[in-house]
Amino acid sequence: MSDACCGPAETPKAEVEQNHGPQRIWQVRELQLAALAALLLAVGFAVELSGAELVGDVVTLASAVAGAATFAPGAVRNLLRRRVGVGTLMTIAAIGAVALGQFTEAAMLGVLFSIAEGLEHYAIARTRRGLRALLGLVPPTAAVVRDGVEQRVAPGELVVGDRMVLRPGERAATDGVITAGHTSLDLSAITGESVPVEAGAGAVVHAGAINGGGAIEVRVTALTSGSSLARIVHIVEEAQERKGTGQRLADRIAKPLVPAIMVLAAAIAGFGALLGDPLVWIERALVVLVAASPCALAISVPLTVVAAVGAASRQGALVKGGAALEELGRIGAVALDKTGTLTRNSPQVVDIIAVGGASRADVLTSAAALEARSEHPLARAILAAAGDVEAADDVTAVAGHGLRGVHNGQRLRLGKPGWVAPGDLLDDVERWQEAGATVVLVERDGVLLGAIAVRDELRREAPEVIGRLRELGIETAMLTGDNSRTATALARQAGITTVHGELLPEDKASLVSALRTRRKVAMVGDGVNDAPALATADVGIAMGAMGTDVAIETADVALMGEDLRHLPQVLSHARHARRVMMQNVGLSMAIIGVLIPLAAFGVLGLATVVFVHELAEVLVIANAIRAARTGEAIGGGTT
């Protein structure tokens, strides 16, 4: 809390980051001091009842000092830096109460304010600690084979290229690729997907994954400090520091409010003194200072963001800060890419037709020669079907159309129907497309060789996801570079009625811009080919961020797993978090609006205002913690 609205004190944040905060609530320094101050206040009250008023006053004054120790030193430091904030108002009010002889009120102010500040500190530390606990998924030691001998080393000693051995039940200390063995990997703690994923040689293993089957050997591909797990924690910690619109709104209100309150209090004391007893009006001015302190407003949104972003990360979604979180909670339409988003991203060649005397092998080999160095999913399908093929020379990509190059002195072209004329294969092309397959045509020296049909199956959970989005009142649309027939066939299976096919990357961005004129739009894609659309949307959402740096950097939100059901889950979570934000801002402003006039006209005294104000802060903190609540973990596995 401190002077959060007008320049935060540095020590509490540093302590949280270095020590990850107190483990138990009674370890919070502010709460310890509040308990000491409360004890001294009770003792002082008892002593006064016994008749020793002077001793009672001394003890009560000590209570006020103990309570003020949580905020007064920071307020003084900030004041020396020409910063004023909530702590400044509380310090002035406490000093003024003591100067007027109201030791009990000053002590109560210190006790209650310290309790509210301690609860905030503990709440933030707890949410951050929950995020940092992800790093606790890394085991204390890892088994590696070096020079033919297996040995145990600390995770920090692993180097790229090490052969790491994972036995059943063990966690991976860092990222790697399986080189021997077959198993099932439990990724529930990382991606939120509870069903284990089958994995064999060549499969990627992420840090923190549990080996649920037989022993496997894994070639280390990243240091523990640069693993996918460490990267996730770093990104979310950075995200929690970013400010959303709601948070900036709270800041915009709080920054001018603090000096305005001080001016108002001075005016009440000055003009009131002209009308009556100066001491009475000075006391009312001090009460106004406390009543108008925007403590709850200053902490309301930041604490909600920290709680919600941390909770989302534990449920398989990286949300990059308050801005992304708030925009995500306002989404009314979702545009989805087809390949790798609605489909499994594991296309396979399902048919080949050759013409003009060419063989099926000629068609496949020529296509594979052009695709040899491509990372496109369709390329992987063609290369998997063709096997080892010599790469073509001078290969160039024609964006949105296909490839051209030279192989064995012959000019080759591969691309979508329309860029390469289908000729006599038009009926076959249309038949394949109606069945949901993607078709590429192969041409050699200007003569059509044949056509290849590649099909990428729809994710099993896609129809369920579209149904859940519809229940949330969110419209859906498919945006794809594939032909309209194929796209429409797959969209029909998923339950999507709005389909835009044969789009170039810039076309997707233009369509997203058009959709944004009516409502807030999120674009879901793979983060590479869809980068323009992801950047254009109100919120860009990338799939499969555990292994894709580009996806994380491009998007505002990244779904760590490959289960599309994380999408409606994170959208619902963001809506809940945004409601909590708005509730907190509304409650904070309402408290200030009600207390100021009551304090200015003497209806409420300092003790009552302090109690009401700090109670409001506790309510805001408790409500903000609700933003950490999420739904059940995804029950389906990776598809």
Side-chain angles (χ1 to χ4, degrees):
M1 189 180 306
S2 298
D3 290 336
C5 66
C6 303
E10 297 174 5
T11 304
K13 179 183 170 186
E15 288 176 359
V16 172
E17 290 182 347
Q18 183 176 352
N19 304 320
H20 312 319
Q23 297 294 317
R24 298 289 185 269
I25 193 167
W26 59 82
Q27 296 173 328
V28 179
R29 175 179 172 272
E30 292 88 348
L31 294 180
Q32 291 172 345
L33 287 171
L36 174 61
L39 178 62
L40 290 172
L41 180 60
V43 170
F45 181 71
V47 170
E48 284 188 11
L49 288 180
S50 68
E53 294 186 5
L54 180 60
V55 176
D57 285 344
V58 171
V59 176
T60 303
L61 182 59
S63 170
V65 171
T70 64
F71 57 86
V76 172
R77 286 195 299 269
N78 282 323
L79 197 57
L80 293 175
R81 300 187 186 109
R82 297 182 179 179
R83 298 175 183 173
V84 294
V86 174
T88 310
L89 300 182
M90 291 299 169
T91 302
I92 294 172
I95 293 173
V98 169
L100 293 172
Q102 298 185 4
F103 299 154
T104 300
E105 285 76 4
M108 287 185 62
L109 185 151
V111 169
L112 294 173
F113 189 71
S114 296
I115 290 173
E117 186 159 280
L119 290 175
E120 181 209 349
H121 183 185
Y122 178 70
I124 292 178
R126 191 178 73 167
T127 54
R128 288 187 184 278
R129 191 167 58 249
L131 172 63
R132 298 292 304 185
L134 284 173
L135 292 181
L137 298 177
V138 175
T141 62
V144 295
V145 178
R146 292 175 177 170
D147 300 324
V149 179
E150 183 176 326
Q151 55 185 289
R152 285 273 169 183
V153 300
E157 297 176 18
L158 292 171
V159 297
V160 175
D162 268 343
R163 289 167 56 200
M164 184 168 58
V165 179
L166 278 185
R167 292 182 173 80
E170 291 185 335
R171 289 187 185 272
T174 188
D175 298 342
V177 175
I178 297 176
T179 56
H182 188 276
T183 188
S184 59
L185 298 175
D186 180 355
L187 303 174
S188 58
I190 306 168
T191 66
E193 297 168 13
S194 60
V195 175
V197 179
E198 295 298 316
V204 174
V205 177
H206 296 294
I210 300 175
N211 179 15
I216 55 175
E217 279 195 8
V218 179
R219 177 174 55 82
V220 173
T221 58
L223 302 179
T224 53
S225 59
S227 70
S228 53
L229 197 58
R231 188 177 65 213
I232 288 168
V233 173
H234 174 68
I235 287 170
V236 177
E237 285 184 330
E238 279 192 337
Q240 289 177 334
E241 298 299 326
R242 299 178 185 177
K243 296 187 176 181
T245 304
Q247 188 167 345
R248 289 192 296 269
L249 173 62
D251 288 344
R252 286 199 303 270
I253 294 172
K255 281 185 178 180
L257 186 60
V258 171
I261 291 166
M262 298 178 72
V263 171
L264 174 63
I268 289 173
F271 288 109
L274 299 177
L275 302 176
D277 186 349
L279 291 180
V280 171
W281 287 98
I282 289 174
E283 181 181 344
R284 289 184 182 181
L286 293 175
V287 177
V288 167
L289 278 179
V290 177
S293 297
C295 311
L297 179 65
I299 67 171
S300 59
V301 179
L303 185 55
T304 305
V305 168
V306 170
V309 170
S313 71
R314 295 190 296 275
Q315 291 291 328
L318 298 178
V319 182
K320 294 188 178 180
L325 181 70
E326 188 171 358
E327 287 295 281
L328 199 61
R330 301 167 64 191
I331 292 300
V334 173
L336 301 104
D337 177 46
K338 179 178 74 69
T339 305
T341 301
L342 286 167
T343 63
R344 297 183 182 182
N345 203 24
S346 56
Q348 295 180 328
V349 173
V350 294
D351 205 352
I352 302 172
I353 294 178
V355 295
S359 66
R360 290 163 55 95
D362 286 339
V363 176
L364 190 58
T365 300
S366 297
L370 287 172
E371 298 278 24
R373 294 188 175 89
S374 174
E375 293 297 324
H376 194 278
L378 295 183
R380 294 199 298 269
I382 291 172
L383 291 171
D388 293 334
V389 174
E390 180 185 1
D393 300 319
D394 300 327
V395 177
T396 57
V398 180
H401 297 292
L403 302 169
R404 57 160 64 99
V406 177
H407 187 240
N408 294 331
Q410 297 174 310
R411 291 179 294 104
L412 298 178
R413 276 206 313 162
L414 175 146
K416 60 172 58 176
W419 191 60
V420 177
D424 295 336
L425 297 180
L426 180 59
D427 291 341
D428 296 292
V429 167
E430 291 179 350
R431 174 173 54 83
W432 281 339
Q433 291 175 341
E434 291 289 350
T438 299
V439 182
V440 292
L441 298 165
V442 184
E443 186 182 84
R444 184 168 61 197
D445 286 336
V447 178
L448 183 66
L449 284 183
I452 301 175
V454 179
R455 185 178 176 89
D456 190 5
E457 297 297 331
L458 191 73
R459 293 181 186 271
R460 285 178 298 182
E461 73 272 18
E464 175 190 344
V465 169
I466 300 304
R468 290 177 63 186
L469 291 175
R470 192 176 296 115
E471 290 173 3
L472 290 172
I474 297 174
E475 294 183 4
T476 56
M478 177 192 287
L479 274 57
T480 179
D482 210 341
N483 72 85
S484 297
R485 287 193 182 89
T486 300
T488 301
L490 284 169
R492 189 182 305 116
Q493 295 177 39
I496 299 174
T497 56
T498 304
V499 182
H500 301 277
E502 301 180 40
L503 301 174
L504 298 174
E506 55 268 29
D507 297 331
K508 291 184 181 181
S510 298
L511 269 172
V512 168
S513 293
L515 290 172
R516 289 181 63 195
T517 60
R518 294 185 293 116
R519 66 201 66 213
K520 294 287 184 179
V521 176
M523 173 69 195
V524 188
D526 60 16
V528 181
N529 296 330
D530 302 305
L534 287 170
T536 303
D538 294 291
V539 179
I541 304 176
M543 284 286 294
M546 282 297 292
T548 311
D549 287 326
V550 175
I552 293 178
E553 293 301 324
T554 305
D556 303 298
V557 179
L559 305 182
M560 292 187 282
E562 292 289 342
D563 195 315
L564 195 57
R565 282 174 290 186
H566 286 302
L567 178 60
Q569 184 186 56
V570 74
L571 286 166
S572 178
H573 175 58
R575 286 187 173 186
H576 169 65
R578 185 169 181 273
R579 283 195 299 270
V580 171
M581 286 184 201
M582 295 300 104
Q583 290 165 3
N584 280 347
V585 171
L587 175 62
S588 303
M589 295 304 297
I591 291 294
I592 292 173
V594 170
L595 289 185
I596 287 179
L598 293 178
F601 290 104
V603 177
L604 298 178
L606 181 61
T608 306
V609 167
V610 168
F611 179 77
V612 173
H613 216 298
E614 302 314 319
L615 177 61
E617 291 182 53
V618 173
L619 291 176
V620 163
I621 291 169
N623 195 40
I625 294 174
R626 288 178 54 241
R629 289 193 341 208
T630 60
E632 295 294 324
I634 296 300
T638 301
T639 59

